[in-house]
């Protein structure tokens, strides 16, 4: 059974650029969430999607956006990148209400220079 | 707002010994889930064990078990017969509510993590 797949694994971008990260959940999982992990702030919730609808959004500026497609795959976009956006971005999928455990991908390491 | 606190930034254990990682949380809700996740250097978050708040029985998964004290809002992880492969960052996480109802905050709230070293 395939796990949660995140692409790309590593990304280097220049300040001011925009970036799109992709997440393919486990087959049958309709809920996808995104988290940002940094040494200073730890793990912070970005947003959650369920059946193509954004259900919750964390306390991040509008430069952070996302979407979910009909096949449950999700993308997140960060526009006008800042140095502070450098982080590990983790995607997790789950299958509520049958299973409330989140399965995480290996993340995308974004470096903004 | 819910918070999760892990007061041990680093822990060390000898191979084959037992270690307990601490986690406390603050919530006014009665229905929620608690999780322990492991993040090795490969950086993938791996679910170690979960506990439903409505269950009084402590969860167990092979060498991993929890001590869930709902009234004290404590959720510690015990690792028995520690192995070198257990070395990782361990995160305690909280999630509520159990429903997927509109407007519900179905997000994981993480603690700051405990870095576990296993000495051979």
């Amino acid at each position: 059974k395939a796990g949660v797949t995140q692409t790309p694994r590593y990304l280097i971008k220049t300040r001011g650029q925009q970036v799109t990260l992709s997440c393919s959940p486990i087959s049958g999982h309709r809920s996808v969430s995104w988290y940002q992990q940094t040494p200073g702030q730890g793990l912070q919730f970005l947003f959650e999607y369920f059946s193509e609808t954004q259900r919750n959004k964390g306390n991040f500026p509008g430069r952070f956006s996302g979407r979910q497609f009909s096949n449950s795959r999700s993308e997140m976009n960060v526009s006008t990148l800042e140095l502070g956006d450098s982080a590990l971005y983790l995607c997790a999928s789950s299958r509520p209400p049958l299973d409330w455990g989140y399965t995480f991908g290996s993340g995308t390491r974004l470096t903004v220079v | 707002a819910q918070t999760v606190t892990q007061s041990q930034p680093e822990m060390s254990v000898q191979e084959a010994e037992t270690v307990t990682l601490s986690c406390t949380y603050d919530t006014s809700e009665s229905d929620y889930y608690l999780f322990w996740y492991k993040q090795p250097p490969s950086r993938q978050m791996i679910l170690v064990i979960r506990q439903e708040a409505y269950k009084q029985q402590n969860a167990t998964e092979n060498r991993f078990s929890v001590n869930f004290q709902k009234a004290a809002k404590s959720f510690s992880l015990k690792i028995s017969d520690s192995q070198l492969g257990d070395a990782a960052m361990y995160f305690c996480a909280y999630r509520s509510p159990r429903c997927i109802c509109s407007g519900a905050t179905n997000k994981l709230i993480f603690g700051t993590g405990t870095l576990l070293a296993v000495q051979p």
Side-chain angles (χ1 to χ4, degrees), chain A residues 22-35:
Chain A
S22 178
C23 171
S24 293
I26 291 174
S27 178
H29 286 200
R30 295 163 60 194
S31 172
V32 174
S33 296
W34 290 87
Y35 293 82

Side-chain angles (χ1 to χ4, degrees), chain B residues 28-77:
Chain B
S28 58
E29 298 171 326
S30 60
D31 190 16
Y32 49 86
Y33 280 79
L34 295 166
F35 304 88
W36 277 100
Y37 280 92
K38 166 186 175 182
Q39 188 177 40
S42 67
R43 74 194 195 195
Q44 182 170 10
M45 298 282 278
I46 301 165
L47 178 62
V48 174
I49 199 166
R50 79 183 75 179
Q51 176 79 43
E52 292 90 340
Y54 67 91
K55 291 185 178 179
Q56 293 186 342
Q57 186 173 5
N58 290 325
T60 300
E61 288 286 344
N62 300 314
R63 298 182 294 107
F64 299 87
S65 61
V66 299
N67 184 4
F68 173 50
Q69 302 289 328
K70 191 173 183 180
K73 296 178 183 174
S74 172
F75 183 60
S76 60
L77 174 69

Side-chain angles (χ1 to χ4, degrees), chain A residues 4 8-10 31 33 35 37 43-45 48 50 55-56 58 88 90 92 94 96-97 99-109, chain B residues 33 35 37 39 41-47 50 52 89 91 95-112:
Chain A
V4 178
R9 289 217 45 175
Y10 299 92
S31 172
S33 296
Y35 293 82
Q37 186 176 23
L43 283 148
Q44 293 188 289
F45 170 78
E48 178 186 18
F50 183 81
R55 298 180 48 77
N56 289 290
L88 178 66
L90 291 165
S94 65
D99 184 353
W100 291 95
Y102 276 118
T103 301
F104 282 81
S106 295
T108 294
R109 172 76 67 187
Chain B
Y33 280 79
F35 304 88
Y37 280 92
Q39 188 177 40
S42 67
R43 74 194 195 195
Q44 182 170 10
M45 298 282 278
I46 301 165
L47 178 62
R50 79 183 75 179
E52 292 90 340
M89 183 71 86
F91 291 96
R95 176 182 181 163
S96 74
R98 292 176 62 212
C99 74
I100 54 171
C101 39
S102 176
T105 305
N106 295 316
K107 67 179 182 182
L108 285 170
I109 299 170
F110 287 91
T112 51

Side-chain angles (χ1 to χ4, degrees), chain A residues 18-74:
Chain A
Q18 76 165 25
V19 66
T20 299
L21 311 181
S22 178
C23 171
S24 293
I26 291 174
S27 178
H29 286 200
R30 295 163 60 194
S31 172
V32 174
S33 296
W34 290 87
Y35 293 82
Q36 181 196 64
Q37 186 176 23
T38 60
Q41 299 298 318
L43 283 148
Q44 293 188 289
F45 170 78
L46 279 158
F47 21 65
E48 178 186 18
Y49 290 88
F50 183 81
S51 295
E52 301 179 65
T53 302
Q54 185 181 91
R55 298 180 48 77
N56 289 290
K57 190 175 193 296
N59 189 25
F60 280 82
R63 301 184 296 107
F64 290 80
S65 63
R67 58 178 176 170
Q68 186 180 34
F69 302 96
S70 59
N71 61 359
S72 294
R73 189 177 71 86
S74 177

